[in-house]
Every structure is written in C-alpha cells, then in structure tokens.
Amino acid sequence: MKFFCENQPLDVNIQHLYVAGWTGRDAAAVQHHIDELAELGVAPPSQVPLYYRVSENLLTQADEIEVVGATSSGEVEPMLLLADGQLWLGLASDHTDRELEAYSVAASKQACVKPAAQDLWKFADVKEHLDQLTLSCEIFEAGAWVPYQRGSLAAIRPLADLLMGADMPDQSAMLCGTLGAKGGVRPAAHYKMRLSDPVRNQCIELTYSVRTLPVVA
C-alpha cells in the first residue's frame, strides 16, 4: 500500500492486520459496555483489551466499499503501522457487520474491509502529546452531515501499551479502538473522519462511501 508522510511517498507491504477491541481507558465504562452487549447476546471478551486478527488484505484505501446487507457501520480509530522498524500513526475505520457481531465479534471484524487514510505521521513526532489528539466522525444522515463520534485519544488506552500488548511483528498495522457514537451505533452511506493534532496544527482525513449489496438467500 502507498502512504504519504509530509508529502513523501511510503510503500508498505502490510503482512499482518490487528483490530484492538475493548480499549477504553475507563475500565468501569468498558465493563458497562460489555454488560450491555451481553444482554443483546454478544459474548464477553476473553480478555481486555483483546486483539482480533483479520486478513491483511482487508485494509483498503478505496473511496467506496461494498458490504452485504444494511447492518454494518464504521468507527473512527487511530491506526498504528510498524514498517521496516519505523512506527507510524494513521487513521482508519473499523467497519463492522453489527448483525454478525451478535454471533461472533471476530467473524464480524473479518466480514468488512477497513478503510484507511493515505497520510501518516511519525509516531515519534506525536508521542509526547498523544492524549491531546482528537478523533471525529460525521455521517450523512437524512440529507445532512451530522456529528457521530468525537473525543480525544485520552479516552483510549495509551497506544504504546496497545502496541506492546499485541506483540506486533514488523510489517503490521493495528486499529486501536474507538469512541462512543452519538445517538447510538447505526449504519450510514457516507463517512467523514479526522485525526487532529492541535499542537502541530495538522490533521489526517478519511472519507468513504458504502455501497450495500443485497442479501441473497
């Protein structure tokens, strides 16, 4: 895949893809969410955080993705990329099939591709002020863009800790968890996401659309 850092191209042969789940820094809030999902039939995680392995070719930079049925939705997430010994920070969406999630969270992660922005930052350039970085997501709903997710990385476990916990090899990428959705998790046809650095006055943006394919029985 081709990425860019400060307008310089970076070709990365990603061989391993992880999706970190249950990564909230507030342990009580994470447990509350686990309990809520359990009432809906979603099995609790075997450990917290939990590192789901998915196919590396699910990571995409396409402007439009295709999903089966109308029960999937995206989530804005920071993305760590380890390539040739260098650690990078990017932006991606953990697009997930919510109906399948009730059967198996691992299977739901594998069911959808994961859109990723082309821009990256050197992790070393932001590691001292990570908690000040903000994530935001808007969805196109009822003919207008509406706020869907917003918050700082202070709500997510320290990214360096997640990296160590996953024991990621070189040539790997990891989506690192997300924030609560305003109005609840729900599908949308279009997404606009952003990772913002107020200290350096920079941002990474990701936009993509969703094409729904019919469920054929």
Side-chain angles (χ1 to χ4, degrees):
M1 297 184 71
K2 184 178 289 292
F3 294 92
F4 294 89
C5 180
E6 298 176 352
N7 296 320
Q8 297 300 310
L10 176 69
D11 290 314
V12 181
N13 178 21
I14 297 173
Q15 300 176 14
H16 311 276
L17 182 58
Y18 298 73
V19 178
W22 319 100
T23 63
R25 200 174 297 189
D26 185 332
V30 171
Q31 186 59 52
H32 178 70
H33 186 48
I34 291 172
D35 294 340
E36 284 182 325
L37 290 177
E39 294 179 1
L40 300 175
V42 178
S46 56
Q47 65 181 50
V48 176
L50 188 59
Y51 302 96
Y52 300 96
R53 293 295 303 274
V54 297
S55 300
E56 52 82 17
N57 58 9
L58 290 182
L59 200 65
T60 180
Q61 293 173 331
D63 294 330
E64 182 180 71
I65 68 170
E66 294 182 328
V67 298
V68 175
T71 61
S72 70
S73 63
E75 295 177 336
V76 62
E77 304 203 1
M79 180 183 72
L80 289 176
L81 181 64
L82 183 61
D84 300 322
Q86 177 73 53
L87 185 60
W88 310 84
L89 178 64
L91 178 67
S93 175
D94 178 19
H95 208 94
T96 299
D97 186 314
R98 303 301 169 187
E99 186 173 52
L100 185 57
E101 194 171 39
Y103 165 74
S104 167
V105 175
S108 72
K109 300 298 184 188
Q110 178 67 31
C112 302
V113 297
K114 313 299 183 187
Q118 288 191 321
D119 291 328
L120 296 172
W121 293 331
K122 293 178 181 178
F123 188 79
D125 290 344
V126 296
K127 68 178 183 179
E128 299 301 330
H129 60 277
L130 276 174
D131 283 358
Q132 296 181 57
L133 305 187
T134 61
L135 291 167
S136 63
C137 175
E138 294 178 82
I139 59 174
F140 196 73
E141 190 172 60
W145 287 102
V146 298
Y148 186 61
Q149 295 174 283
R150 183 171 181 83
S152 74
L153 265 61
I156 297 174
R157 287 174 182 256
L159 301 189
D161 291 355
L162 292 176
L163 180 68
M164 292 180 59
D167 193 24
M168 275 173 43
D170 204 49
Q171 309 305 127
S172 296
M174 179 169 63
L175 281 63
C176 299
T178 192
L179 309 166
K182 300 179 186 296
V185 174
R186 56 196 186 276
H190 307 284
Y191 292 84
K192 290 198 300 189
M193 300 180 175
R194 176 178 288 190
L195 174 64
S196 301
D197 181 350
V199 174
R200 301 186 306 148
N201 194 29
Q202 295 183 16
C203 70
I204 296 175
E205 296 182 331
L206 170 65
T207 61
Y208 70 97
S209 299
V210 180
R211 181 185 178 197
T212 301
L213 304 177
V215 177
V216 179

